[in-house]
Amino acid sequence: MSFQPPKGTDDILPPDSQVWRVVLLEWEEWSARFGYPLVATPLFEATDLFLRGVGDTTEVVTKQMYTFEDKGGRSLTLRPEGTAGVVRAFLDSGARGAWKGAYSGPMFRYERPQGGRRRQFWQVGVEFLDVESPIADVEVIELGFRYIESVGVNGLELRINTLGDHQCRPAYLTKLRAFFAERREELCEDSQSLIEVNPLRILDCKVCAPVMDDVPGMKDALCEACAAHYDTVRSSLTDLGIPFTEDPKLVRGLDYYTRTAFEYIGTGLDTAQNAIGGGGRYDGLAESIGGRQAPGVGFALGIDRIIMAMNRSVGPALDVYIVSETGPGEALRSASLLRSKGLRVDFDASGRSTKAQFKSASSSGAPATVIIHASAGEVSVRTMDDRRDMPLEEVAEWLKSQR
Ligand code: HAM
């Protein structure tokens, strides 16, 4: 029996898991700061939700879904992304008017695994529903940007584009089809097969990039309402001091987008996996899954990629390690007291020698060791540059004053 996790999945274990813990805690803080309450939806949904929501010509749907039949004969799919499930939950809740939700959890795509491209990966994201204003787009974009900035990623770049809407996109697609049809022979096989069904997706093809130097852009084909929307997005980003570049070829891999589309790029990563997050507006998604008209905007960030691109180290997982000369019972009581004062504390529960406990203290990474002596009374506290004796009750206060 092999103990390896399934292909394309990972065990997240210490010490690396400390980085995950910090990054995920910071996500909870940032999403709360922007007024997004937690939403949690099932890890699997009816397959139809993704066929109708994400789009049945996207790679995610045609090639990457983990689909199975349950014992009741229903076709279910492990969620490849979070937006369709959140929109379904929003419709089911019957809510009306501006509605926000933040999520964090694993997603599943049958991909060819490599660094930063996994079959199970972790996304954090938000959805902002029932609001049409471009100001919502900008608030959403700002949250992702500030969070990634604060986590500390090498070479963060925000790229934005507009994809128009049901008014102006059809005419643009006709233009695009004509452009690609004229160059059919120069396109790769996959792109050729997309000319009729989904020509926008060809813009995303790295192989065909040289054919597209003078491809028409959506920006020049926008209707008035979409043009005004895009103008406000750009001017508000500038107002907030958020730098961005416009990328007319940015189309995203999922079909539900209208108007604003954006990606956060980690320029320090390999180009094939350098999108650390992406999102956009999806004003037709709720209807395409059979609900009422409800505009929305959101993003998701890939935590696996953020961690690969991070340029910051996180602190130790513990504040204190307790070494007890009188056995683990006393260590347990002392740990309980220090923990009640808010410190992160560990000790050796197995009753090993003092020497062995000191070894564990040093490998634990805790910046302070508290030593409980055989003679009852004061404990000793050791830090990098100090050692002193004091009553156990004073340790937490003293350590906090040293930070
Ligand atoms: P997405 O661009 O498919 O968008 O995924 C968002 C991010 O998830 C990507 O930028 C990437 O960092 C990460 N990601 C995607 N696939 C993998 C993978 N196989 N391995 C590791 N990381 C991956 C969405 O999922 C949309 N639901 C975003 C959204 C929310 N749009 C509107 N609201």
Side-chain angles (χ1 to χ4, degrees):
M1 158 108 200
S2 152
F3 295 117
Q4 285 182 347
K7 188 170 176 186
T9 70
D10 305 284
D11 299 312
I12 302 163
L13 301 173
D16 299 349
S17 56
Q18 178 59 11
V19 182
W20 281 76
R21 183 177 253 176
V22 168
V23 166
L24 292 175
L25 275 173
E26 288 183 9
W27 167 251
E28 297 306 329
E29 276 174 29
W30 275 98
S31 52
R33 209 183 278 190
F34 276 65
Y36 286 83
L38 175 73
V39 295
T41 62
L43 295 200
F44 55 82
E45 296 274 0
T47 302
D48 206 34
L49 175 70
F50 301 115
L51 294 180
R52 292 162 58 158
V54 173
D56 53 12
T57 60
T58 59
E59 277 211 343
V60 169
V61 166
T62 55
K63 299 188 182 152
Q64 300 178 344
M65 294 211 302
Y66 280 93
T67 297
F68 60 98
E69 196 171 286
D70 76 359
K71 289 186 171 38
R74 302 169 193 90
S75 178
L76 298 172
T77 294
L78 295 185
R79 62 182 187 189
E81 59 100 51
T83 310
V86 172
V87 173
R88 178 201 54 67
F90 161 76
L91 290 169
D92 186 48
S93 78
R96 296 249 156 204
W99 187 97
K100 287 174 157 185
Y103 51 91
S104 169
M107 307 289 160
F108 308 87
R109 295 182 193 176
Y110 190 80
E111 302 243 31
R112 190 188 302 200
Q114 45 193 300
R117 194 172 290 280
R118 316 300 295 152
R119 290 184 173 169
Q120 176 175 330
F121 56 99
W122 197 286
Q123 278 188 350
V124 299
V126 294
E127 310 300 343
F128 192 173
L129 286 152
D130 239 0
V131 173
E132 217 174 347
S133 162
I135 295 300
D137 306 26
V138 177
E139 190 205 58
V140 160
I141 295 174
E142 184 186 13
L143 167 56
F145 190 84
R146 301 283 182 226
Y147 169 68
I148 300 169
E149 240 185 2
S150 106
V151 163
V153 156
N154 273 329
L156 168 60
E157 217 179 276
L158 168 64
R159 297 190 188 153
I160 67 167
N161 191 20
T162 175
L163 302 173
D165 67 1
H166 63 283
Q167 292 280 335
C168 49
R169 202 187 310 173
Y172 174 63
L173 293 184
T174 306
K175 248 202 222 166
L176 211 51
R177 274 193 197 97
F179 176 89
F180 288 130
E182 266 175 37
R183 294 160 179 80
R184 182 178 290 273
E185 299 314 312
E186 298 163 64
L187 297 175
C188 73
E189 237 173 75
D190 279 351
S191 292
Q192 288 187 12
S193 72
L194 285 168
I195 296 178
E196 282 315 310
V197 288
N198 198 345
L200 262 190
R201 298 232 26 82
I202 303 176
L203 294 176
D204 207 21
C205 177
K206 306 269 181 299
V207 184
C208 299
V211 187
M212 293 189 275
D213 283 345
D214 52 348
V215 70
M218 180 74 229
K219 207 172 132 187
D220 304 319
L222 294 176
C223 61
E224 229 174 87
C226 285
H229 191 101
Y230 192 47
D231 279 348
T232 306
V233 168
R234 283 177 301 178
S235 60
S236 304
L237 284 172
T238 307
D239 268 1
L240 294 177
I242 297 173
F244 62 89
T245 52
E246 289 183 69
D247 177 357
K249 293 207 185 95
L250 194 163
V251 290
R252 316 272 302 120
L254 314 163
D255 271 356
Y256 46 62
Y257 293 106
T258 51
R259 297 190 168 168
T260 316
F262 57 92
E263 273 180 353
Y264 305 101
I265 305 292
T267 53
L269 292 174
D270 244 26
T271 43
Q273 282 87 238
N274 69 0
I276 53 185
R281 178 160 279 285
Y282 46 82
D283 293 343
L285 174 56
E287 270 176 304
S288 72
I289 62 172
R292 67 181 172 86
Q293 210 278 329
V297 59
F299 67 72
L301 311 176
I303 293 297
D304 307 69
R305 291 189 191 174
I306 286 189
I307 286 174
M308 284 172 68
M310 263 171 78
N311 57 11
R312 167 190 134 196
S313 58
V314 302
L318 287 175
D319 299 310
V320 170
Y321 195 95
I322 296 178
V323 169
S324 170
E325 292 174 353
T326 60
E330 196 49 44
L332 172 69
R333 272 189 291 278
S334 307
S336 174
L337 185 122
L338 296 179
R339 287 166 178 160
S340 76
K341 292 180 187 279
L343 292 178
R344 299 169 301 168
V345 183
D346 203 9
F347 64 94
D348 174 56
S350 59
R352 291 180 308 150
S353 70
T354 319
K355 192 172 161 202
Q357 292 179 57
F358 272 114
K359 255 197 180 155
S360 301
S362 96
S363 61
S364 78
T369 309
V370 168
I371 303 140
I372 300 166
H373 301 291
S375 53
E378 298 200 323
V379 299
S380 303
V381 188
R382 246 195 227 173
T383 62
M384 276 285 273
D385 33 37
D386 212 343
R387 179 190 167 128
R388 53 177 72 197
D389 294 342
M390 66 185 77
L392 182 67
E393 288 69 27
E394 288 171 20
V395 170
E397 201 64 14
W398 183 73
L399 284 176
K400 283 178 193 166
S401 74
Q402 300 298 299
R403 280 178 192 163

